[in-house]
Amino acid sequence: MLRQAWRWSAFRDTRAGTALSAAASFLAADSPRRSSAGPTRGFENIPHPLRGSSQLLLQPQSVSASYYSPSVFLSMASGSSDPPSPHPKHTNRLAKERSPYLLQHAHNPVDWYPWGHEAFEKAKKEDKPIFLSVGYSTCHWCHVMERESFKDEEIGKILSDNFVCIKLDREERPDVDKVYMTFVQATSGGGGWPMSVWLTPDLRPFIGGTYFPPRDQGRRPGFKTVLMRIIEQWQNNRATLESSGEKIIDALKKATTITANPGESPPLAPDVANRCFQQLVHSYEEEYGGFKDAPKFPSPVNLMFLMSYWSVNCSTSEGVEALQMALHTLRMMALGGIHDHIAQGFHRYSTDSSWHVPHFEKMLYDQAQLAVAYISAFQVSGEQFYADVAKDILLYVSRDLSDKSGGFYSAEDADSIPTPGGLEKREGAFCVWTASEVRELLPDVVEGAVGAATLADIFMHHYGVKEQGNVAAEQDPHGELQGKNVLIVRYSAELTAAHFGITVEKFNELMTSARGRMAEVRQIRPRPHLDTKMLASWNGLMLSAFARVGAVLGNEVLLERAVQAGNFLKEHLWDPNQQNMLRSCYRGDQVEVQQISPPICGFLDDYAFVVCGLLDLYEATFQTEWLRWAEELQARQDALFWDNQGGGYFCSEPSDAAVLLRLKEDQDGAEPSANSVSASNLLRLSHYTGRQEWLQKSQQLLAAFSDRLTSIPIALPEMVRALMAQHYTLKQIVICGQREASDTAGLLAAVNSLFSPFKVVMHTDGNPESFLCQRLPALTSMTQLNDAATAYVCQDLTCSLPVTEPQELRRLLLDGTTALEAH
């Protein structure tokens, strides 16, 4: 939402802005603030719109996946959510909800309502302001505020007596979250979760903030103080609050408008791409990789842009630099503490510049995007290291975030109980180690090692384990990690092996064994809370990951898991009667898939990410059912969300009057913008179906975001990739042959061995009645040579001479200058 960066400065000088400032001035500093010296771990922060960057919205040796068998990739998670107290003192209506986040608040002494008409009508009937609290189940500071304030009897009574209290899961209702986060960012200098907003009975916001401590802390007002001041303002200054709320919403409607002028074309791709590259260079941190100072986020959208930029500028110094930036960042993250070296997967972000001490929650969307980034790095570099990390991520997801239905759970919490039977959760407790634990677990003396070193000695040297712990005090403001170690690779395998006088092969065997023992210990520790909500959008991202990694590695187990995910989406998150994607479903008490009634209809990102996943699944398997469904979903997305006046897609469809703003997401942040992904989807589908209106829609979408792409492309690196695809024209790689034949697989493997971001891959078996031949009649003229699988590479209505050998196809794709003939 960095669009506010230009527009809020004008808005704050209006009467609406002045009214809001007067109404909100007493809130002072309402949230923890980060600093480069000591960020507050776990606070889910998004930046002030005037100072933000695309990175902050809201991460050689064998990796630890090596000690698991391939069958693990099809296993399912067994973790469970936190059990309720057997005899809770309070129970509110959230106990009837399915959202793990809402259920976490079901026994607060607060009269909570879920978002809906019952709460809205109560506010109107009793003429009370609404307190809206927004978060999600694995949010550390949401837990803190719940423990400090929402479990407090006195605060609970103040809330229940004076407000209609609504609790909202931002992952269930991103449309509502976006509206009020836009307001909070624009009016309070920042944003994040938990988000706290006060609304008039007609849902217009007048005060907003994020986390509040329960009681006053110096100049920072506590939550109780804030509540009492708002009650006073509502009683004595209500007209001003209501007026400012109305004016603010009206101003935000204008400030957030994204539209194309009539006849406007997208900006020039090379200019935009060069500017995006330069902006990333400016924010790049050379020593450890990544962008800007701590906290450091993985930002896969930046890394994918850099590799795509290299692919069309590989002969220039800028292209080489872009690739170096991407590969170095990916390597340093994989070696860092943000990567779980024992139980796989990546934590949310690093609180320091060296990727060492993470915020420990694990999100499904991070795993999905990082798996794609690492397998792309493998295609670019040929280094097995990157492929191993990609497999490592999918191993974690298969084991710990997979439902037996084929769906994927949303997240694992950062906090857990340190020891069985404990009561107080601590961040990172499931993941960290003391030196004594490591020594006790790995006591074996290593034969032939210098100084009769033990396995613990070698492990601790390699992973930076210290007797006093390796977490600096400034990374541990609450003392939760004192004396603990976050594993981080300090030396290469070669250096550690040389230090202890053993071979690299012996070293790798030892570390595999050590990690395996430590993984067994991890499994008997109390597990973090598991958010078993399954979202269509994030499942679409993970579908892409399994399909793309499986295709590149030729791994049938991964491809089978991708097909399971596709079947899950169609069975559980697609309503064939209403022709709608559904937003979410849930794991029931008997481990069955459940749905709420009425279900939440899908939003733009649910459609866009699933369409992308289906296209990737088709290209990995050549099963046309996925292409058919992608075409169907894209048509439905157009009908629900397309802006016929200004171009581009709204995030939500217009039927819900309770959503005050129809927004177009204009930032690729923790997740790519659905508009960015849709720009690529439309282009790919136009090539698969021959539907020129989808090519035109893609161009109109990019034109609508012209201002953004021209001025601050770093905010939309995924959309810049779509713009580049338009400019450089997608290659159409057509493989003619029997789908299950080995020679067809050989040609497909040659295609998948290379990083070629601007392409579509098609299969035809010569049947003129097939899905693709019906839409693209020209395919019927492409035939096999001498009954062997044959490939054609086409671009701008011109095709290469047919090739039958995988290496010949690979050379053709690498060269790009082989003689072409009209076809």
Side-chain angles (χ1 to χ4, degrees):
M1 299 180 185
L2 289 174
R3 196 173 192 85
Q4 302 301 334
W6 315 313
R7 295 181 173 175
W8 180 246
S9 58
F11 166 64
R12 62 181 174 171
D13 293 327
T14 65
R15 287 196 302 164
T18 302
L20 186 282
S21 298
S25 60
F26 63 84
L27 289 185
D30 63 354
S31 63
R33 296 298 178 192
R34 298 187 182 277
S35 70
S36 57
T40 304
R41 284 190 308 105
F43 179 58
E44 308 306 318
N45 178 266
I46 47 183
H48 187 295
L50 297 178
R51 297 188 296 273
S53 72
S54 66
Q55 283 69 254
L56 288 180
L57 261 175
L58 24 121
Q59 111 223 99
Q61 61 179 46
S62 62
V63 294
S64 49
S66 58
Y67 63 86
Y68 287 97
S69 67
S71 62
V72 174
F73 284 109
L74 292 180
S75 68
M76 302 302 167
S78 59
S80 60
S81 299
D82 298 332
S85 171
H87 303 291
K89 182 178 179 181
H90 303 279
T91 299
N92 56 57
R93 57 186 60 75
L94 297 185
K96 298 178 180 179
E97 296 298 309
R98 293 303 314 168
S99 158
Y101 176 64
L102 300 188
L103 289 171
Q104 287 172 347
H105 296 77
H107 301 292
N108 294 161
V110 178
D111 188 19
W112 289 118
Y113 284 77
W115 179 267
H117 290 290
E118 183 183 5
F120 307 156
E121 291 303 315
K122 177 180 173 68
K124 291 177 181 177
K125 181 179 178 181
E126 298 183 8
D127 197 30
K128 287 182 177 178
I130 292 170
F131 169 59
L132 173 64
S133 177
V134 183
Y136 56 100
S137 78
T138 59
C139 162
H140 175 74
W141 281 95
C142 300
H143 301 333
V144 173
M145 192 165 179
E146 192 257 349
R147 182 176 66 249
E148 292 177 341
S149 293
F150 301 145
K151 285 185 176 180
D152 185 284
E153 298 275 354
E154 181 185 12
I155 289 176
K157 180 172 175 54
I158 294 171
L159 283 168
S160 301
D161 289 349
N162 296 280
F163 303 91
V164 174
C165 302
I166 297 177
K167 178 60 72 172
L168 183 96
D169 184 337
R170 68 173 294 263
E171 293 167 357
E172 282 191 323
R173 292 301 302 265
D175 55 335
V176 177
D177 175 68
K178 282 185 175 75
V179 168
Y180 296 108
M181 186 57 71
T182 301
F183 164 78
V184 170
Q185 282 184 291
T187 58
S188 73
W193 299 277
M195 176 168 63
S196 306
V197 191
W198 287 264
L199 320 175
T200 64
D202 61 358
L203 306 181
R204 297 182 184 277
F206 59 89
I207 298 292
T210 52
Y211 163 83
F212 294 91
R215 303 290 186 264
D216 296 352
Q217 295 180 356
R219 297 178 61 185
R220 178 187 296 170
F223 191 52
K224 179 183 174 182
T225 298
V226 170
L227 292 176
M228 300 309 295
R229 291 180 182 177
I230 290 175
I231 293 168
E232 178 188 3
Q233 289 284 324
W234 186 255
Q235 293 171 346
N236 300 324
N237 199 24
R238 176 171 173 173
T240 300
L241 295 182
E242 289 182 322
S243 175
S244 68
E246 184 172 351
K247 290 175 181 176
I248 289 161
I249 288 296
D250 289 343
L252 288 177
K253 285 179 181 178
K254 297 177 182 178
T256 56
T257 298
I258 297 172
T259 187
N261 298 318
E264 186 176 3
S265 298
L268 291 175
D271 293 345
V272 171
N274 288 335
R275 186 173 295 110
C276 187
F277 167 68
Q278 292 299 333
Q279 290 176 348
L280 285 171
V281 168
H282 182 71
S283 66
Y284 181 66
E285 196 275 292
E286 292 186 353
E287 185 173 6
Y288 294 101
F291 305 92
K292 295 294 187 184
D293 297 323
K296 273 189 179 176
F297 289 75
S299 304
V301 289
N302 290 344
L303 303 173
M304 291 303 296
F305 164 76
L306 289 170
M307 287 185 280
S308 299
Y309 182 82
W310 165 82
S311 73
V312 295
N313 296 280
C314 56
S315 61
T316 69
S317 60
E318 291 82 2
V320 172
E321 184 178 4
L323 181 59
Q324 183 275 333
M325 289 164 62
L327 295 181
H328 181 60
T329 298
L330 287 165
R331 182 179 296 278
M332 297 310 292
M333 287 196 302
L335 300 178
I338 192 174
H339 182 200
D340 188 338
H341 296 280
I342 300 302
Q344 298 80 50
F346 278 78
H347 299 296
R348 181 67 195 94
Y349 61 84
S350 174
T351 64
D352 58 84
S353 63
S354 61
W355 304 109
H356 180 202
V357 181
H359 172 46
F360 288 89
E361 76 181 308
K362 292 179 178 177
M363 306 300 296
L364 183 67
Y365 58 77
D366 282 326
Q367 316 308 320
Q369 294 176 84
L370 284 168
V372 172
Y374 276 101
I375 205 63
S376 299
F378 169 65
Q379 289 176 301
V380 167
S381 68
E383 286 191 59
Q384 187 62 35
F385 173 83
Y386 297 108
D388 287 344
V389 178
K391 289 188 292 184
D392 172 85
I393 293 168
L394 298 188
L395 169 62
Y396 162 70
V397 173
S398 296
R399 189 191 62 235
D400 292 346
L401 295 182
S402 285
D403 186 79
K404 68 177 183 178
S405 65
F408 300 105
Y409 301 139
S410 293
E412 272 195 311
D413 210 332
D415 302 353
S416 61
I417 297 169
T419 57
L423 297 176
E424 183 180 346
K425 291 184 176 182
R426 289 176 176 267
E427 185 173 6
F430 185 64
C431 302
V432 296
W433 304 87
T434 63
S436 60
E437 285 176 318
V438 177
R439 292 198 181 281
E440 182 178 350
L441 190 58
L442 309 175
D444 323 51
V445 175
V446 176
E447 185 178 352
V450 172
T454 65
L455 181 55
D457 292 329
I458 300 173
F459 186 93
M460 293 170 67
H461 176 83
H462 190 68
Y463 284 103
V465 176
K466 297 180 179 179
E467 297 295 339
Q468 71 276 20
N470 68 2
V471 178
E474 58 266 25
Q475 297 338 120
D476 186 27
H478 303 295
E480 294 173 296
L481 301 176
Q482 189 172 1
K484 308 292 185 179
N485 289 274
V486 177
L487 303 183
I488 179 172
V489 176
R490 291 301 191 190
Y491 306 98
S492 69
E494 291 77 9
L495 280 174
T496 300
H499 182 78
F500 289 96
I502 58 177
T503 66
V504 173
E505 291 73 21
K506 177 71 171 176
F507 165 78
N508 286 331
E509 291 174 7
L510 292 170
M511 292 304 97
T512 297
S513 172
R515 290 192 299 263
R517 292 190 207 178
M518 297 177 78
E520 291 173 2
V521 172
R522 283 272 293 267
Q523 289 304 309
I524 63 175
R525 290 177 174 177
R527 293 194 66 87
H529 161 74
L530 179 66
D531 186 331
T532 56
K533 177 173 69 270
M534 291 171 271
L535 299 174
S537 60
W538 297 0
N539 273 256
L541 289 173
M542 189 51 71
L543 171 58
S544 285
F546 273 93
R548 294 180 65 170
V549 176
V552 172
L553 299 180
N555 188 312
E556 291 299 325
V557 176
L558 297 181
L559 292 176
E560 182 182 345
R561 184 67 185 89
V563 170
Q564 285 184 342
N567 288 327
F568 162 80
L569 284 162
K570 196 154 194 179
E571 180 179 356
H572 295 289
L573 288 170
W574 169 246
D575 182 345
N577 297 321
Q578 298 297 320
Q579 293 287 290
N580 280 334
M581 287 298 302
L582 303 178
R583 173 64 177 175
S584 55
C585 58
Y586 309 83
R587 189 180 76 177
D589 296 334
Q590 304 303 314
V591 201
E592 77 283 15
V593 177
Q594 291 187 344
Q595 186 53 266
I596 58 176
S597 182
I600 303 170
C601 289
F603 302 103
L604 176 62
D605 58 351
D606 297 305
Y607 285 83
F609 296 173
V610 171
V611 167
C612 182
L614 294 174
L615 295 178
D616 290 336
L617 185 55
Y618 166 74
E619 292 192 350
T621 65
F622 287 155
Q623 296 171 1
T624 55
E625 62 185 282
W626 308 118
L627 200 51
R628 289 178 185 273
W629 193 29
E631 183 183 36
E632 183 180 358
L633 286 182
Q634 186 62 58
R636 187 61 177 147
Q637 175 183 320
D638 293 349
L640 291 172
F641 305 107
W642 181 254
D643 179 4
N644 287 312
Q645 280 72 48
Y649 294 97
F650 292 109
C651 295
S652 58
E653 52 97 18
S655 62
D656 190 346
V659 180
L660 303 183
L661 298 175
R662 290 194 78 195
L663 299 170
K664 296 177 186 174
E665 185 66 72
D666 63 350
Q667 177 156 340
D668 296 324
E671 304 161 54
S673 155
N675 269 291
S676 297
V677 174
S678 293
S680 293
N681 290 347
L682 289 165
L683 182 59
R684 294 170 75 182
L685 279 165
S686 72
H687 283 262
Y688 281 120
T689 65
R691 292 176 62 166
Q692 290 302 299
E693 68 268 25
W694 276 343
L695 174 59
Q696 293 163 5
K697 265 189 165 63
S698 182
Q699 293 169 341
Q700 291 169 346
L701 186 160
L702 293 168
F705 287 84
S706 287
D707 287 348
R708 193 86 163 131
L709 289 167
T710 301
S711 300
I712 185 167
I714 193 176
L716 286 167
E718 186 67 21
M719 191 174 288
V720 178
R721 291 212 309 146
L723 183 66
M724 294 167 70
Q726 292 268 10
H727 176 81
Y728 292 107
T729 309
L730 295 185
K731 289 181 180 176
Q732 296 171 306
I733 303 170
V734 183
I735 298 177
C736 307
Q738 298 306 305
R739 186 164 67 88
E740 303 296 340
S742 61
D743 54 357
T744 299
L747 291 175
L748 182 59
V751 174
N752 288 325
S753 69
L754 300 173
F755 180 68
S756 180
F758 307 130
K759 71 176 187 306
V760 291
V761 186
M762 304 179 184
H763 170 256
T764 177
D765 59 6
N767 178 8
E769 302 301 317
S770 68
F771 174 86
L772 280 175
C773 286
Q774 287 288 301
R775 285 155 178 76
L776 303 170
L779 293 181
T780 59
S781 64
M782 297 183 182
T783 58
Q784 294 178 239
L785 291 181
N786 303 320
D787 294 324
T790 304
Y792 299 79
V793 179
C794 307
Q795 197 168 15
D796 290 329
L797 304 177
T798 303
C799 294
S800 69
L801 294 170
V803 297
T804 57
E805 293 297 326
Q807 286 303 316
E808 193 177 357
L809 175 57
R810 182 180 165 89
R811 282 195 299 270
L812 175 62
L813 294 172
L814 281 171
D815 185 16
T817 60
T818 301
L820 300 176
E821 62 176 10
H823 200 94

